[in-house]
Amino acid sequence: MTAINFKQIEEKWQRRWADANAFEAEISSAKKFFFTVPYPYTSGPLHIGHGRTYTLGDIIARFKRLQGYNVLFPMAFHVTGTPILAIADSIARGEEEVVARFKDYIAIYEDADKVDELLNSFRSAENVANFFAARISEDFKRMGYSIDWRRKFNTTEPMYNKFIEWQFKKLYDKGVINKGKYPITYSIEDDSAVGEDDIEGGDTEKVAVIEHTAIKFKLADGSYLIAATLRPETIFGVTNLWINPAASYVKLKAGDETWVVSKEAAEKMGLQKDEITVFDEIEGSVFVGKIVKELVYGREVPVLPASFVDEDVGTGVVYSVPAHAPYDYIALEDIKKSESLELEPIKIIDIEGYELPAKEICERMGIESQTDERLEEATKIIYKDEFYRGVLNEKCGEFANVKIADIKDEVKDWLKRENIADVFYETSRKAVTRGGDKVIVAVLQDQWFIDYTPEWWKELGHKLVEGMTFYPEKYKTYMHDIVDWLAFRPCARKRGLGTPFPFEKGWIIESLSDSTIYMAMYTIAHLLRQLPVDALTEKFFDLVFLDIGDAQELSNELNVDADVLNRIKNEFMYWYPNDLRHTAPPHLSNHLVFFLMHHAAIFPESRWPRAITLNELMIREGKKMSKSKGNVIPLADVSELYGVDLYRLYCAINADFATVVNWREQDTEALRKKLNAVVELFEDSIDAESINEAELTHIDRWLLSRLYRRLRESVELFEAFRIREAGINIIFNAMNDIRYYEQRQDKDRRKKLVRSVMEEWLIILSPIVPHVCEEIWHELHESFISVQTLPELNEAFIDDRVEREEEYLVLLISDIKEILKVARLEPTKIYVYTAEDWKWELFRAIKDLPDKDKIREAMKLRKDKSTVEFVKQVMKSKLDYFELCEPEVIEREKEYLANEFGCEIGINEEHDPKGKKRFAVPLKPAIFVDG
């Protein structure tokens, strides 16, 4: 089988599945299973990291078919938002980086002579979306995904727009679509709100809106330097300000006051506050050496230079608390070496074990330079210790003796009331849109948003979550927490592709807000294409999704046959709810919580989602995959580079759902050998005759018991979403059993045994490696293995006694080998002594007793000093009790043992020159070697 062309096998079975419509799901009397994974965004090719989620999803879908479910596994394409529009605009402008990137993307799929022509067509956003949707479809087919492609759609199609309008009208009627003032992530270039889908890396590294406290420090001319902080309670320990002398700062009018901030901060403030007017630009060096007044106690503190201050983070002004901030402490120590400053840290937080926290942590870690990367670690240690154990001291006025963990917003609110501070919003990390434009926080006056705060909605959300299955289970608790803190979500923007906002012209529904309940569309998309778009009214969707209204009346109104309406409604009613949604943890706090909350708000409980499974991401050679690192492997290249089934197997067994997968080339080669060995085993056994049960030896029965047990366990593991364990069990563990058997029996006999269990084995293995299983299956059957159901396993062959006997034999051989190794003997005869009957009787009597009671109870049965010695031996050996006739087993395997050790085997003979026999205990014979 090693010489077989796996790529040809893959293409053959993918073609045959498609020709036979093997995965097209229709309403039937069978129990249904509606399974979905997120539709991909069509702004570029997918890579092997994306493929992990889709592959595990396909494995689940295929296994559910084996369980006898009528499985619907559909797919669509996400097009809405600004990213695809930004790509088209960048290519139209000839931006070199974008042009080069998309030339590379096109070249993954097309010949070199077509690249420029296709790239030129990408000036149209629609062409970008259509190209990648088509190529991703090809990728998914090439990966062997068992998708019903009739139901595909994209999110800018008119029928989808109608569906989204209906969703928003339902939410509007519930009173949760509102217009108001709210801080949002925002692109200045696009003049529009941006969400996770619009932000580069936003799906895996969330960009949150963070509220900073902007504290005023008064200059001599009456203006204020504004320093932003996330820890306003540390204001009591300020010793100085830091400012970047090379950066540009501006003066601006904020109400009646004049503020000084970095040029970048002023731009952000202009989109966060009313009546902000910039009127002067100044170099940061102008402020170095000036004295400012902190407004809490009126102390004067100097402004000092610091190149580490980033003018594009916060306000470009940082206040220094060297007693509690390691960065500030080291920076102040550095500047004191070159300047005669009398500044000393001011301790304001008492923590047991510290006198001056920042100083001591730096000394303990040996940090002496501002460039030491360990400063970040030192900061985390101090902040954590202060948060959990710190208490504000007497220097903090009315807040003295308050624990840091309890301070919450009290200091911030007090500073605002005293007109010492204001609010400034910043992103949680520096971010750009997928088009490369800067992302900031803006506070828009008339922003449309979804209000998730109503109590009735929270209660429904928690009820839905509580009734669901989550795997891994920890994510249920996470989701409850997310439902609790979910508040306001911008749901519309002024620019981008998507559904027009139904309540105000000029707005487009935001891309994550339009992808919350789209699973419902999968159930009917193929049927909607038979209807005119004008028929897809609010009443139409009410009838189909909510069973509101009368089909005959609506038929007259829409001029659509009532039978057609009922068929569409019945299709939805059969398939819904979504039985399982499979995705990745980064979607928990955005897509998944919206998915659940919108279902809770719009649909009755009978249509609520039932389960969510999540798998972690994939990295390559220990590093995150990204184009900039040059370590991305396109999904389109998997078949050529590795083979699809090898990739699927790697995804299945290299980590459980909760663990990141590390793609390593050396591991793929090792795995290829193991997969080849399994395939060769099947091919080698396929023509073997079945074995007559009456002919089975002990070791034959052992192998059949092990294999059938593996198959039964693997089914149970698949059902519990423990795919890694199932894969390891059905491949690695089963092959270990085969190899062990081959040490005991000849190859021809192994062929017969493998052949007897091979068909069941192939079926249960097929969700992971469907192509090779299909190829071997078709040497025996005409039907597809992909649409089989789980076989009735011949569990009569699963025999605990047979397996225990072999386990006993393995341990005996191991003990003999250890003796030979230690004694360095060439044996001429090996004597084996099994436990006497009285030892077995005592063993049975005390096996379930606590250790402290074993000797006392044994002495009641046999008053002899050897009883105590025996019980101590049993406790020391920690033997797992099972019934076994030891002499019978050893006698049966006497010839095997003799061959194994090349000498005669004696069983319970009188010859016992060293008195070994008395040490025999049940299940652990005593051994003496002549040599």
Side-chain angles (χ1 to χ4, degrees), residues 47 248 288 741 794 889:
H47 57 65
S248 294
V288 173
Y741 175 86
N794 193 344
V889 172

Side-chain angles (χ1 to χ4, degrees), residues 221-252:
D221 64 2
S223 62
Y224 298 94
L225 277 170
I226 308 297
T229 182
L230 291 171
R231 297 190 68 195
E233 69 275 8
T234 60
I235 185 62
F236 304 105
V238 64
T239 60
N240 62 280
L241 298 189
W242 300 115
I243 204 160
N244 190 335
S248 294
Y249 291 77
V250 298
K251 286 188 175 183
L252 57 83

Side-chain angles (χ1 to χ4, degrees), residues 12 44 165 167 204 354 456 529 634 720 798 886:
K12 176 172 76 174
E165 284 179 20
Q167 176 195 193
T204 55
Y354 290 99
W456 64 265
R529 299 195 183 283
I798 300 176
E886 296 179 86

Side-chain angles (χ1 to χ4, degrees), residues 398-427:
E398 64 184 86
F399 301 103
N401 300 318
V402 177
K403 293 180 179 179
I404 296 295
D406 296 338
I407 201 69
K408 294 184 180 177
D409 294 330
E410 281 85 347
V411 175
K412 177 177 69 176
D413 293 342
W414 174 75
L415 290 169
K416 289 181 191 174
R417 287 197 303 272
E418 296 296 316
N419 197 30
I420 296 172
D422 210 311
V423 173
F424 176 73
Y425 295 103
E426 186 63 282
T427 53

Side-chain angles (χ1 to χ4, degrees), residues 307-365:
S307 59
F308 63 77
V309 173
D310 186 341
E311 60 268 37
D312 197 21
V313 173
T315 58
V317 181
V318 177
Y319 74 72
S320 174
V321 186
H324 303 282
Y327 277 103
D328 291 341
Y329 173 76
I330 292 294
L332 188 59
E333 289 300 297
D334 277 356
I335 206 166
K336 283 164 69 174
K337 291 173 186 175
S338 57
E339 311 240 356
S340 55
L341 289 173
E342 296 297 324
L343 292 180
E344 294 298 330
I346 301 170
K347 182 183 178 184
I348 59 164
I349 301 171
D350 292 334
I351 322 174
E352 186 178 347
Y354 290 99
E355 278 302 314
L356 209 56
K359 177 176 185 289
E360 288 162 27
I361 193 69
C362 288
E363 289 174 348
R364 192 187 310 162
M365 296 178 69

Side-chain angles (χ1 to χ4, degrees), residues 40-46 77-79 84 87-88 91 101-140 142 149 152 154 156 497 634 636:
Y41 202 80
T42 55
S43 58
L46 301 185
F77 299 100
H78 200 188
V79 177
I84 294 174
I87 291 164
I91 289 173
R101 182 164 74 249
F102 278 84
K103 276 189 172 184
D104 289 346
Y105 287 168
I106 296 168
I108 292 170
Y109 300 104
E110 300 291 344
D111 295 334
D113 58 351
K114 294 182 180 178
V115 170
D116 288 337
E117 179 186 347
L118 284 165
L119 181 70
N120 192 52
S121 75
F122 280 11
R123 295 167 181 265
S124 159
E126 183 181 8
N127 290 339
V128 176
N130 289 342
F131 177 85
F132 287 112
R135 299 312 178 274
I136 292 169
S137 295
E138 292 170 7
D139 290 348
F140 283 179
R142 197 178 293 117
W149 286 104
K152 73 176 179 180
N154 75 57
T156 56
L497 304 175

